[in-house]
Amino acid sequence: MTDFAEKNINQSNQNNENFKFIIDEFANCKVMKYQVPNWDTLSLNQKKYIYCLSQAALWGRDIYFNQNYKNNITIRKALENILSSFDGDKDNDEWREFEIYAKRFFFSNGIHHHYGEKKFFPKCSREYFASLLKGENAEFILDEIYNPNIAPIRRDNNTQNDIVKSSAVNFYQDVSRKEVEEYYNNIDNDFLHPVSLGLNSKLVKENGEIKEHVAKINGMYSKYIEKIVYWLKESIKFAENEKQKAYTNKLIEFYITGDLKIWDEYNILWSQDSESVCDYINGFIETYNDPLGMKGTWEAVVDFKDIEATKRTQILCSNAQWFEDHSPIKPQYRKKQVTGVSAKVINVAMLSGDCYPTSPIGINLPNADWIRKDYGSKSVTLANISDAYFQASLENPKSALKEFSFSEQEIERAIKYGQLSDNLHTDMHECLGHGSGQLLESTGANALKEYSSTLEEARADLFALYYLMDEKMIELNLIDSLEVGKAQYDAYVRNGLLVQLARIPLGENITEAHMQNRKLICEYALQNSDCIEKIIKDNKTYFVVKDYDKLRSVFGELLYQIQEIKSTGDYEKGKYLVETYGVKIDSEIHKEVISRYAELNIKPYGGFINPDLQEVKNADGEVIDINISYPQSFIAQQLKYGTEYSFDNE
């Protein structure tokens, strides 16, 4: 085991003694706490900087609720009112089912499942729910919650439908897919340096005319953006350096104007800051929830660098050109000169919007391909989030690893190398995978449309998987054995073909981009080679890697195809790959996985509550410290946020 792995594991064990990670479980969800290690090593100014950015993050929370569905905030306020004021009998099944629904609503930031996209419903009766509601809009709220024909799916990916009209996301109003595409196709856009059209807006039809409502001060979401801007300005007082001040001022300018050219200018400045300890993500960023892959959901992460663990990612960054030059893709799709790749391992201090309560474990930004090519990108691995997932898994005496692994050798390899292999896979996915390759100059930025997210995640995963079995990793002293790569191959196949299916309701297809990506890769390898074997033992199905070198070759072959699809913008080939390998589920295997997983009593979806950051003041009112504490109640945090970071007159 390398020095990096030993230091990380020893530190993890030391930090996690007597700290309980799982604080709540309901339906198919678990809520965890995450630790913020090394908080006391930060200077007072750094703590104040993080505090201000955390306030800015929390003020954007309602934006994401509203983006998911136009009536989410109205429904949420009704739930908050009941939870805060009801003083009747709570020792009965009806109340318990109501409370579970409320938790599911908070967990998903609305009435639709955060992964499955479909609307979910309370198990308490409509009559009981009605008895809890007060106010003139009670029937409206009950219909919104209970009527299966109102907003049945958040993002529809069935291309047989008009996926704009059939999706409940609040990015479009009274417009069709054809009208949206025509509207944006008619806007002049610099082909070599295109802005991300529609990223921070809503397209609506008013009196027969299509208009774009832009998020900015004195525009859409103005009340919230004013609060975000206030706290961004406050953070500048405590910035570590001039770079931080410059890109934060540029972000403020973007929020004031809504100008996407300024958004690109901000991203260029932000991506070139690799020196600062403290950092943040704040804005309309990821496009997964838009059926057309254009509109950005609002999100925020506030963090600071894990100095020791970042040494690992710095090795990858310094060798980025080698990895690019040896990538198994056509030479014309490789970057001749990898520019500005930076990566670090971070500890998260606050999550909000699309990152809360369910959080990524790695992030690579900015998303614009031309910025990645000309200026580079910045990648982060969220160390304390990954650690929380790992530590929480140890709190359950049963495990999916033991249930779905075929052999003791596979289990032993996972126990010995699994955490390191997961961390390296995340590092390489974010740091090198997303930043690799290039588009042809004739390829438009959104050529793959609704399939772009799935194919991009598959491309980054394949890049990481391919190199995890490369001797170069040993040469760089990142691993001491290719057993690390084998552990990741085992885990990836096990998850892609079996374990992740426990998250999908029986009879439904896979709709979420990351899950489609994993299924696509594993199903392609299963159907197009003999390196993965399906084995039935004791009436249980297993998928076992029989030839790791051959599987690596298949990963390289698929990466070759997907890079060409992305570089050329081949929509039809991209559609074929996703629809053929990434969407459909074998019904018998699906039924079996759900049954086996249920016996483990493990919740397949995990989310987090944030720590509380509190100013400590002296007798003169001066802030002398920022204390950090770890709350114990998911509902209490949701009610606190609903009171302190929202407006009454929605």
Side-chain angles (χ1 to χ4, degrees):
M1 189 174 293
T2 67
D3 288 343
F4 294 118
E6 288 180 359
K7 287 178 181 177
N8 287 344
I9 290 173
N10 290 338
Q11 184 66 45
S12 174
N13 291 337
Q14 180 180 348
N15 288 343
N16 295 324
E17 285 185 15
N18 304 317
F19 188 94
K20 185 169 176 59
F21 285 84
I22 299 175
I23 65 163
D24 201 354
E25 293 182 296
F26 48 89
N28 58 1
C29 306
K30 61 177 175 283
V31 178
M32 298 165 279
K33 295 182 295 187
Y34 60 89
Q35 291 177 303
V36 185
N38 303 317
W39 177 256
D40 290 333
T41 66
L42 299 176
S43 69
L44 178 56
N45 263 15
Q46 287 173 325
K47 290 180 179 179
K48 288 179 178 179
Y49 184 68
I50 288 175
Y51 177 82
C52 293
L53 291 171
S54 296
Q55 295 298 305
L58 292 172
W59 271 109
R61 172 176 176 258
D62 274 11
I63 295 175
Y64 183 56
F65 268 97
N66 186 263
Q67 288 180 310
N68 280 338
Y69 177 54
K70 63 183 180 181
N71 294 322
N72 271 338
I73 294 179
T74 299
I75 298 167
R76 194 192 74 204
K77 287 183 181 297
L79 297 175
E80 291 169 346
N81 183 58
I82 294 169
L83 290 166
S84 301
S85 62
F86 181 71
D87 57 2
D89 178 20
K90 296 182 180 179
D91 188 19
N92 60 78
D93 289 342
E94 289 277 65
W95 172 262
R96 283 186 281 271
E97 291 296 345
F98 162 77
E99 197 171 57
I100 289 172
Y101 176 78
K103 290 178 181 179
R104 293 188 70 190
F105 180 94
F106 293 136
F107 195 90
S108 294
N109 293 283
I111 63 174
H112 301 95
H113 194 279
H114 70 291
Y115 248 51
E117 309 272 10
K118 290 190 175 181
K119 186 176 180 178
F120 54 86
F121 304 92
K123 291 186 179 179
C124 60
S125 68
R126 180 174 175 134
E127 292 72 24
Y128 178 77
F129 208 126
S131 73
L132 302 176
L133 284 168
K134 298 176 182 178
E136 296 178 357
N137 63 345
E139 282 302 313
F140 170 79
I141 291 171
L142 288 169
D143 279 343
E144 289 288 310
I145 291 172
Y146 280 94
N147 190 332
N149 298 316
I150 295 177
I153 189 166
R154 184 177 67 178
R155 179 186 64 93
D156 189 3
N157 69 344
N158 183 353
T159 53
Q160 301 300 311
N161 301 328
D162 184 325
I163 56 178
V164 169
K165 287 189 171 183
S166 57
S167 297
V169 285
N170 194 21
F171 297 130
Y172 308 101
Q173 181 178 315
D174 299 326
V175 290
S176 66
R177 174 175 184 166
K178 181 181 179 182
E179 288 173 320
V180 173
E181 291 177 339
E182 286 178 350
Y183 178 87
Y184 287 113
N185 286 339
N186 288 329
I187 295 177
D188 289 334
N189 201 1
D190 184 335
F191 198 81
L192 295 179
H193 306 102
V195 300
S196 301
L197 291 174
L199 189 71
N200 62 332
S201 67
K202 177 179 178 179
L203 208 62
V204 303
K205 186 184 288 184
E206 298 175 348
N207 299 319
E209 182 180 354
I210 296 178
K211 295 182 179 180
E212 190 170 31
H213 293 176
V214 176
K216 61 180 180 177
I217 287 183
N218 295 322
M220 188 168 63
Y221 302 128
S222 181
K223 292 184 296 183
Y224 298 100
I225 292 174
E226 287 169 28
K227 291 286 189 180
I228 294 168
V229 165
Y230 170 83
W231 283 106
L232 289 175
K233 288 180 177 178
E234 287 294 300
S235 76
I236 292 174
K237 300 175 183 177
F238 311 109
E240 295 179 54
N241 50 54
E242 293 303 315
K243 281 187 176 181
Q244 280 186 340
K245 293 178 182 178
Y247 62 70
T248 301
N249 275 317
K250 188 60 70 173
L251 180 59
I252 290 169
E253 185 181 352
F254 163 69
Y255 275 132
I256 292 171
T257 64
D259 188 336
L260 288 168
K261 289 183 179 179
I262 295 173
W263 171 250
D264 285 344
E265 292 170 8
Y266 155 73
N267 276 284
I268 291 167
L269 293 173
W270 174 82
S271 65
Q272 294 177 307
D273 176 20
S274 58
E275 295 83 25
S276 299
V277 172
C278 300
D279 202 359
Y280 67 89
I281 294 163
N282 187 299
F284 301 90
I285 298 173
E286 301 295 356
T287 60
Y288 301 114
N289 284 10
D290 178 11
L292 297 184
M294 298 181 70
K295 307 292 182 182
T297 50
W298 194 92
E299 66 181 45
V301 176
V302 186
D303 60 83
F304 59 95
K305 188 184 298 185
D306 183 323
I307 303 296
E308 184 62 34
T310 294
K311 293 177 182 178
R312 182 183 73 222
T313 58
Q314 288 174 336
I315 292 173
L316 291 172
C317 289
S318 63
N319 288 275
Q321 191 66 58
W322 185 92
F323 287 103
E324 183 76 3
D325 291 344
H326 292 81
S327 178
I329 61 176
K330 287 184 178 179
Q332 61 263 42
Y333 304 146
R334 297 180 190 142
K335 290 178 178 174
K336 301 299 182 288
Q337 183 175 358
V338 177
T339 305
V341 174
S342 68
K344 59 186 176 181
V345 179
I346 63 170
N347 289 313
V348 171
M350 191 62 62
L351 301 164
S352 188
D354 200 1
C355 293
Y356 171 84
T358 56
S359 167
I361 57 173
I363 300 171
N364 177 276
L365 293 172
N367 284 326
D369 284 294
W370 71 269
I371 297 180
R372 293 176 187 270
K373 178 183 177 182
D374 293 349
Y375 298 95
S377 61
K378 189 155 62 175
S379 302
V380 296
T381 300
L382 286 60
N384 56 340
I385 297 297
S386 294
D387 185 63
Y389 274 118
F390 178 76
Q391 296 298 331
S393 72
L394 301 180
E395 293 180 359
N396 193 315
K398 298 181 180 180
S399 73
L401 170 64
K402 293 181 180 179
E403 174 61 34
F404 292 97
S405 295
F406 179 71
S407 67
E408 286 299 319
Q409 181 186 22
E410 189 178 333
I411 295 170
E412 290 170 5
R413 186 187 288 132
I415 292 172
K416 186 173 182 179
Y417 296 112
Q419 192 171 20
L420 175 61
S421 74
D422 284 347
N423 286 339
L424 282 170
H425 182 269
T426 302
D427 292 342
M428 298 183 74
H429 173 108
E430 302 295 348
C431 172
L432 302 178
H434 280 308
S436 67
Q438 61 183 354
L439 303 182
L440 297 181
E441 290 190 357
S442 58
T443 301
N446 194 41
L448 300 178
K449 300 178 182 179
E450 67 267 32
Y451 299 105
S452 60
S453 295
T454 297
L455 291 167
E456 175 57 22
E457 293 303 322
R459 192 179 71 88
D461 261 2
L462 286 163
F463 194 99
L465 289 166
Y466 181 79
Y467 280 116
L468 273 170
M469 283 288 291
D470 198 296
E471 294 285 345
K472 185 70 172 180
M473 300 295 287
I474 298 176
E475 179 188 324
L476 294 175
N477 199 33
L478 290 166
I479 61 175
D480 56 16
S481 166
L482 291 182
E483 290 294 298
V484 177
K486 290 180 180 180
Q488 186 60 207
Y489 280 26
D490 291 338
Y492 201 88
V493 169
R494 189 168 58 243
N495 187 34
L497 293 176
L498 290 172
V499 180
Q500 72 168 1
L501 304 184
R503 298 178 169 191
I504 307 297
L506 189 62
E508 295 186 8
N509 292 329
I510 300 175
T511 60
E512 198 277 333
H514 296 81
M515 296 178 75
Q516 286 183 340
N517 137 51
R518 292 188 286 266
K519 179 67 158 54
L520 187 164
I521 291 171
C522 297
E523 193 68 39
Y524 179 92
L526 179 68
Q527 293 190 29
N528 292 279
S529 73
D530 59 358
C531 53
I532 300 174
E533 183 179 0
K534 178 182 177 181
I535 299 177
I536 309 294
K537 181 181 179 182
D538 298 330
N539 294 318
K540 292 182 177 181
T541 304
Y542 302 89
F543 290 97
V544 182
V545 180
K546 305 301 291 184
D547 189 325
Y548 293 92
D549 290 330
K550 186 177 287 187
L551 181 55
R552 185 191 183 217
S553 296
V554 174
F555 288 155
E557 171 193 318
L558 186 55
L559 176 58
Y560 178 98
Q561 291 184 48
I562 291 179
Q563 183 62 61
E564 182 159 54
I565 287 168
K566 174 157 185 174
S567 294
T568 61
D570 193 328
Y571 175 86
E572 290 301 327
K573 285 186 179 179
K575 176 181 178 179
Y576 173 80
L577 276 182
V578 175
E579 297 290 348
T580 302
Y581 300 107
V583 176
K584 303 293 183 182
I585 306 174
D586 180 283
S587 60
E588 291 304 312
I589 289 179
H590 195 183
K591 188 186 303 181
E592 177 193 328
V593 169
I594 290 174
S595 175
R596 290 166 67 182
Y597 205 94
E599 292 180 7
L600 300 175
N601 195 30
I602 299 173
K603 306 299 183 183
Y605 294 106
F608 296 91
I609 60 172
N610 286 315
D612 283 337
L613 302 181
Q614 300 154 328
E615 292 180 320
V616 179
K617 298 181 180 180
N618 63 17
D620 296 324
E622 298 172 321
V623 177
I624 58 173
D625 199 4
I626 305 292
N627 274 352
I628 190 165
S629 61
Y630 301 98
Q632 299 293 327
S633 170
F634 179 54
I635 281 185
Q637 182 160 94
Q638 296 296 323
L639 295 179
K640 172 186 167 78
Y641 287 172
T643 300
E644 297 182 6
Y645 302 99
S646 190
F647 294 95
D648 292 332
N649 55 337
E650 291 299 333

